[in-house]
Each structure stands twice: as structure tokens, then as C-alpha cells.
Amino acid sequence: MAVIPPEAREAMEFARSGDLAAAVERGEAAILRTPHDAGLRMFVGMLHARQLDLPRAAEHLGVAVDLAPHDPLPRLELIRTLIGADRLEDAEREIRSASMAGSAAHELRRLRAMLHRRRGEHGEAVDLFTTITTANPADFESFESLGLCLLALDRPAAAADALARALALRPGQLAIRTRLAEAQVAAGNGEAMLAATRDEAARNPSDVHLPLTIARLEDLLGRPQAAEAALRDALALDPANAEALSAIGELLERDNKLDELAEMLDRIEATGAPPPPAIMLRARWLGRKGRYEEGRQLVRSSPESVVPGTRAQLYGQFSDRLGDHDAAFAAYAEMNRIDAMDTIDAGRAAKEHRDIVAGLAAITTPAWYAGWTSARPSPGRPAPAFIFGFPRSGTTLLDTVLMGHPGVCVLEEELMLQKTWIQMGSAASLADLDQAGIDALRARYFAEADAQAPDAGDRLIIDKLPLGAINTALVHRIFPDARIVFVARHPCDVVLSCFMTRFAARGMTNFLDLEDTARFYAQVVGYWHQCREVFPLAVHDLRYERMIEDVEGTMRPLSAFLGLGWDPRLLDHVATAKSRSYIATPSYAQVAEPLYTRARGRWERYRAHMAPVLPILAPLVERMGYAI
């Protein structure tokens, strides 16, 4: 009978008490005494895994597999650890070599499905998780994973069904409730779920998970103030609830309330066990305070598996501000690689978006336009104005500046044009519209706008949509007198900034790869120039570089173009940004700062990394009057 070393007994006691660091230290000491004990190796490996030291965990578990090749448990834990450490080829090799029966075979099948999911092979993962849950309808983890894969496949209704099954099996799992909320909102059932959750909360007033779910739903539905109120309700039930504190902290950071955020972070850390997102939130606060080296050290010291995409994003941001450009670019590439894993066939999805633009370019010709029947301007309501450009070109800064004018109502990326496209059908049918058809599309657009801004009154509606240039033909068809502001910025800076930005929208797959980003930019902006040659558009060109140097000199002619009287509040965009309840774009932090020029010409510092895409961008750089 094997003798258990005293160090191993001590490690077990420390593990039971929750002192993992001491348990690992004593476990390693036990291994020095008995290095060939498979059970001890597995125990210490799992301790390392719990501490998120996956490389060391895999090392011990690999030895355990060699020592006990016929025992399925060490191999299963090794495979799980390899997947977590992103050593996917090694994990697949272990799966292929494994032969298991009974419950071990079930777990091996689930790990194979997890491997498919980690690779972004969501279709294959869905097939396996469906088989697993059919055979074992009590497997809540597989139902949860099935739901997440279906979300990645843009099948939110089916995802909601799977996640609801998971939640029924584990009602206390907040993470499942949160993802179920996301699925229901994506499926168009967010309001119904919100009502049902409120009813449930009324019946179970002491359940803190329910106001947390309500908060997530309100946030997803675009009502951050209501979300914060629900989170305050959760804190009334549990003042030390780290999830609620962290979620409020996220809202405060997005709303640029940094002093309140600092107080909230102190409260989170006082709980003694801040959740992983709170660690990243502290790092973001350090960055917002200009303490980049501290922020980078905090990110570097956090486990790699703690919110990995955000970890890579922040490491890139801090490295960029510290002038460590090679490290920054590598971190942003890692961020995009991580995000691409959660997108089904990201490369194909990116190409599909580019193909849409190519299809529009193919039909947008002078001959096509010559066949259009003439359309009269809207007789009862003035046409909106539009802000086009490209993401990261300065459109959010411009719309924030314009919000300072009392005569405008800026609608920020509310997708009215896309919803109007849905009613019309294909772009080719624009040529077939008569006045009645044009009036119907115009009415649909205004109905969508009124739903977003019911209190707009007689203010000028400004529809800001960075990729709206794709909709130029539709805009000119239904609003032939519309005024369009096109925001230009050096193409290389735009492309680099898009690659460095983490977008929430699922349609931004082109920004996960630098070459895809450059090609998409060239197509969209190239199509915009093509539209200007085909259609008689009323356009005001605005340069980001000039705006950040001379706001008044930029805004006075723009105000005149839009038919607005001059208002000095246009010169204080910081005050306007602070008065906004919520900025829904990735630029929320930058537009709350005084104007700065550090981002102008930033691509020059990354010239070596940009070299492969410069030939793609060179023609537009020259056409737009910039230089490489």
C-alpha cells in the first residue's frame, strides 16, 4: 500500500481550506519525495489548473497519464487543460489516442465538442453537443455550450431554447441567465423575457440573480439607466455582491464617471474575491488615469485565461501608449485571434460583407441611374442629414460635437437605413420605384427614426452611420435632397485603428484581420467615390485631422451647410460628452477627453506591420490627398 507523504496530506488540508497557493507549494514538495505517484501528480496538476497556471498543470497531468495510461481521469483532465491553454493540436492528439467507455466516454465526447468550439468549428460542435444532451438530458454544461455555439452561428432562438434547458437544470447559474438574456434579445424576445423576469422577481424578492438578469436585459435593450437601477436593487439584497458591483463599474466606466468608478472598484476589492472582469476594469481605470505602466503590469500579472480577449486588448492599448509598438501590435493580433474563435468561419463572413459592397458597385452605374424615375423631395418633412465615413474615422467625435447644438437630434448608429432596405428588398429594385414606393420607404424610415427619438420635434435629424456610404444609393433614392457629411481620415490610420479596436457588432468580422480590414476599407470608400460620380449628391467633406486642430474653423462651414445657425456650444464637446447618458461606440472614452493629436499619423509608428497592406490602400491615399 502506497504511503502518502506528509507534504501531500498538508496539501490536501490547505486545498480544503481554500489556500491554493499553500496547497500547491506543499504538493510540489510531496512530488519531490514521490515523483512517480500518478494520483499525486494528478492532484497537484488540478491544483495548478484551479490557479489558472495551465502550463504547469499540463506538465503534471501529462506525467500522470504516462504513469497510469489506462486510467481515464488523468487523460480527461489533461485534455481539458490543453484546450484551456489553447494547445489544440496536443488536445486533439490526446483525444485521438484515447479509448474510453461509460461515463468517461461521455466526457471524452464533450471534450471533443469543446475542442471544435474552441477552434470556431461551431457547426461540428453543435452536432456533438446535440448528441450529448439527447443521451444525457441532465448535462447542464453541454446545454450551456450548445446554446453558446448556436449564438455564434447566429441562431438565437435555438440558442435560447438550449440555454433555458441549462438554466432549468441549474437555476442559480448567473452566467447562464446572462447568456440566455443575450439570446432572447437577439431573437427579438427581450421585452418578453424582461417582463417574465420581473414577474419572477416579484414572486422571489430575495433572489439576487433576478435583478442582475433584469439589469443585463435592460442594458442589452439600450437602457443603461434602468440597468443601473436594477443593479442597485441587487446590491440592496446583497451589498457585497461582486457581480453587481462589477456590472455597475462597467456602466460607470462606459459613462466616463471615473471618480465614481474608483469608489466602486474599492468596494469590489473589499469583497476579497473580485471576479475576473473586475481585474480588467481596474486596469482600464488605470489606463484612463494615464497610469499605463501600472495598468500593463496588472494585465501582465493576471492569468492568461482571465477574460483573455480583454486582457490582450488592454495590453495592446497600454503598450501603444508606452511606445512599445511591436508588443502592442502582437497583443492586438492576439485579441483578434481570440475573438475570431467565437465567430463561425470569420474569414468567410468577412468576405461575404465585402461581396455585398462589390455587388452594389457592379450595379451603380450612370446607365442604371439614368433609368430612375425622378423623385420629389419630402413635401411635409425635411430630409435628415447623414454622417458617413468609416469606423474610427472621427464620426463619433463629430456627432458629439454636433450634439452641442440645440437644433439637431443626432441618432447614433440606429440602423434606420438597414431596416428600410429590408422593406425594399434588393438594391437593383431601386430603379423600379415609383413615387408611391419612394413615399412608402420614406415613411418607414421616419417611423424608425421617430421610434428612436420620439421627442425630436422640429430639430434636424442627423443620422450618423460610419458604414452608411454603403447605403448611398438608397439615401439618394428616398431623400434626393439629403445633405451628407463625409468624414475622412488618413486611410492607414483608419485601417490600423479598426484592427486595434474591439467591436461588439457581429458584422465587424473584417476587422479581425489586417488585410481584410484594408480590403474592406478600400471597397467601402471606393464605392463612396463611385457614388459621388454617379449621383448628384449634396456633400460636405470634413477632415478628422483638421477638426482636431481647429474645431471652430471646421464647424462654422459645416453648420452653414446643414442650415444651422452658429452656436458656441459646438466648441465644448467635452461638456457635451459628459452630458450624454451613454455613448454606444468604442470611442466612448476618447470623445470625453480634450482634443488630442496623438492618433494622427500613428500608423507611421507601425509602418513595418502595415507594409503588407500599403499597396491596397495607396490608390485611395493618393486620391484623398494624403501621403504614404
Side-chain angles (χ1 to χ4, degrees):
M1 182 176 178
V3 177
I4 301 177
E7 295 89 347
R9 293 184 185 277
E10 293 169 3
M12 292 175 191
E13 290 302 320
F14 279 123
R16 289 191 190 99
S17 68
D19 189 344
L20 294 182
V24 165
E25 189 272 328
R26 300 314 294 153
E28 291 285 1
I31 285 174
L32 290 176
R33 185 186 292 267
T34 55
H36 303 298
D37 185 326
L40 181 59
R41 286 280 187 172
M42 179 175 169
F43 172 65
V44 175
M46 293 177 69
L47 287 176
H48 279 293
R50 287 177 62 188
Q51 281 206 305
L52 300 177
D53 185 352
L54 299 184
R56 189 67 174 148
E59 179 182 338
H60 283 302
L61 291 168
V63 173
V65 169
D66 292 339
L67 292 170
H70 302 298
D71 185 347
L73 294 182
R75 192 179 300 275
L76 290 172
E77 291 301 328
L78 174 61
I79 294 168
R80 191 188 318 278
T81 300
L82 291 171
I83 293 173
D86 207 32
R87 290 171 55 184
L88 304 186
E89 291 184 3
D90 292 337
E92 181 171 17
R93 189 178 306 112
E94 292 293 335
I95 290 173
R96 289 182 183 276
S97 65
S99 177
M100 300 181 185
S103 60
H106 171 82
E107 185 61 24
L108 183 65
R109 191 178 299 113
R110 181 161 59 181
L111 290 172
R112 186 184 295 277
M114 289 172 58
L115 178 62
H116 282 302
R117 180 184 167 209
R118 192 64 179 263
R119 282 177 167 162
E121 299 164 350
H122 300 293
E124 293 86 343
V126 163
D127 291 342
L128 272 174
F129 281 126
T130 300
T131 299
I132 292 166
T133 52
T134 300
N136 186 355
D139 185 348
F140 86 95
E141 290 178 299
S142 291
F143 273 116
E144 180 183 13
S145 295
L146 173 60
L148 297 179
C149 290
L150 288 165
L151 269 178
L153 289 168
D154 202 19
R155 295 168 56 187
D161 289 341
L163 291 166
R165 292 286 299 274
L167 187 62
L169 292 166
R170 289 291 190 278
Q173 290 285 326
L174 180 60
I176 300 177
R177 283 183 176 272
T178 299
R179 298 314 294 266
L180 175 58
E182 294 172 10
Q184 292 287 28
V185 170
N189 302 321
E191 296 289 359
M193 184 179 177
L194 180 60
T197 307
R198 288 192 183 282
D199 289 343
E200 189 179 357
R203 295 192 301 272
N204 302 280
S206 62
D207 188 341
V208 72
H209 294 115
L210 296 172
L212 289 172
T213 303
I214 290 169
R216 182 58 180 154
L217 284 163
E218 293 283 19
D219 191 31
L220 290 167
L221 292 167
R223 300 191 286 259
Q225 293 91 346
E228 184 172 347
L231 291 169
R232 302 287 181 187
D233 290 341
L235 287 178
L237 294 172
D238 180 5
N241 187 283
E243 285 79 10
L245 293 168
S246 295
I248 292 177
E250 292 283 350
L251 292 173
L252 292 171
E253 198 267 339
R254 281 162 36 188
D255 209 17
N256 296 305
K257 297 177 179 177
L258 300 185
D259 292 339
E260 294 177 52
L261 172 60
E263 296 175 6
M264 191 60 62
L265 287 168
D266 290 341
R267 288 182 62 183
I268 294 170
E269 288 159 10
T271 66
I279 300 173
M280 296 298 99
L281 191 58
R282 171 64 78 178
R284 291 216 300 273
W285 179 82
L286 288 169
R288 298 289 296 274
K289 289 295 184 178
R291 294 158 62 176
Y292 306 116
E293 187 56 50
E294 288 180 68
R296 189 161 77 156
Q297 288 296 334
L298 177 59
V299 171
R300 178 186 283 142
S301 63
S302 66
E304 292 187 8
S305 57
V306 171
V307 202
T310 302
R311 183 180 186 275
Q313 177 190 33
L314 291 174
Y315 197 86
Q317 289 175 356
F318 298 149
S319 296
D320 175 72
R321 295 300 295 272
L322 291 166
D324 191 351
H325 302 119
D326 288 343
F329 192 87
Y332 287 123
E334 174 67 5
M335 172 191 78
N336 288 320
R337 186 193 66 79
I338 291 168
D339 287 348
M341 290 193 303
D342 287 332
T343 304
I344 179 67
D345 202 345
R348 184 183 68 185
K351 185 177 183 301
E352 286 175 353
H353 284 97
R354 297 197 301 273
D355 288 345
I356 290 172
V357 183
L360 289 168
I363 65 171
T364 304
T365 65
W368 181 55
Y369 178 58
W372 289 16
T373 58
S374 60
R376 65 172 181 268
S378 176
R381 187 170 183 178
F386 295 88
I387 297 176
F388 293 165
F390 200 81
R392 311 301 297 166
S393 62
T395 55
T396 299
L397 173 60
L398 175 60
D399 80 43
T400 301
V401 172
L402 284 169
M403 284 180 186
H405 198 293
V408 305
C409 175
V410 180
L411 298 180
E412 189 178 41
E413 303 182 33
E414 294 295 350
L415 308 183
M416 284 87 69
L417 288 173
Q418 283 84 334
K419 293 176 180 178
T420 306
W421 271 117
I422 293 172
Q423 178 171 323
M424 187 199 66
S426 70
S429 61
L430 284 173
D432 303 325
L433 289 173
D434 56 15
Q435 189 62 51
I438 292 169
D439 290 342
L441 291 176
R442 193 178 287 159
R444 171 64 186 272
Y445 177 92
F446 279 130
E448 294 290 345
D450 291 342
Q452 298 298 329
D455 58 347
D458 59 357
R459 290 180 292 164
L460 173 66
I461 290 177
I462 299 181
D463 185 343
K464 173 254 186 161
L465 194 63
L467 289 173
I470 297 172
N471 304 305
T472 301
L474 174 64
V475 166
H476 187 63
R477 192 64 174 128
I478 62 177
F479 296 116
D481 57 336
R483 288 161 289 187
I484 301 174
V485 182
F486 187 80
V487 183
R489 182 184 177 191
H490 195 298
C492 295
D493 275 332
V494 173
V495 166
L496 178 65
S497 186
C498 284
F499 178 74
M500 290 179 163
T501 299
R502 203 171 186 207
F503 292 92
R506 299 177 67 84
M508 298 300 194
T509 49
N510 273 286
F511 302 147
L512 299 174
D513 176 85
L514 185 64
E515 185 172 335
D516 284 349
T517 306
R519 293 191 184 283
F520 191 47
Y521 177 89
Q523 280 192 298
V524 172
V525 179
Y527 179 63
W528 163 249
H529 287 296
Q530 179 180 338
C531 287
R532 294 188 68 167
E533 294 172 356
V534 172
F535 306 121
L537 305 173
V539 178
H540 180 89
D541 289 303
L542 185 148
R543 294 232 168 178
Y544 164 81
E545 292 86 355
R546 175 168 168 75
M547 179 168 57
I548 61 176
E549 289 182 345
D550 183 3
V551 178
E552 184 171 356
T554 301
M555 296 308 299
R556 280 191 178 275
L558 176 58
S559 299
F561 172 75
L562 295 174
L564 302 170
W566 175 250
D567 192 295
R569 282 170 285 191
L570 291 169
L571 302 180
D572 193 356
H573 80 283
V574 173
T576 302
K578 290 181 178 178
S579 70
R580 296 178 62 176
S581 60
Y582 173 53
I583 300 173
T585 75
S587 303
Y588 67 88
Q590 292 96 325
V591 298
E593 299 179 15
L595 293 181
Y596 56 84
T597 60
R598 65 174 181 268
R600 184 181 58 194
R602 179 168 60 173
W603 76 272
E604 292 275 11
R605 300 189 284 277
Y606 293 87
R607 180 180 282 271
H609 301 285
M610 293 287 291
V613 302
L614 294 183
I616 299 172
L617 299 174
L620 279 172
V621 171
E622 181 178 359
R623 179 170 189 168
M624 296 168 70
Y626 291 99
I628 291 184

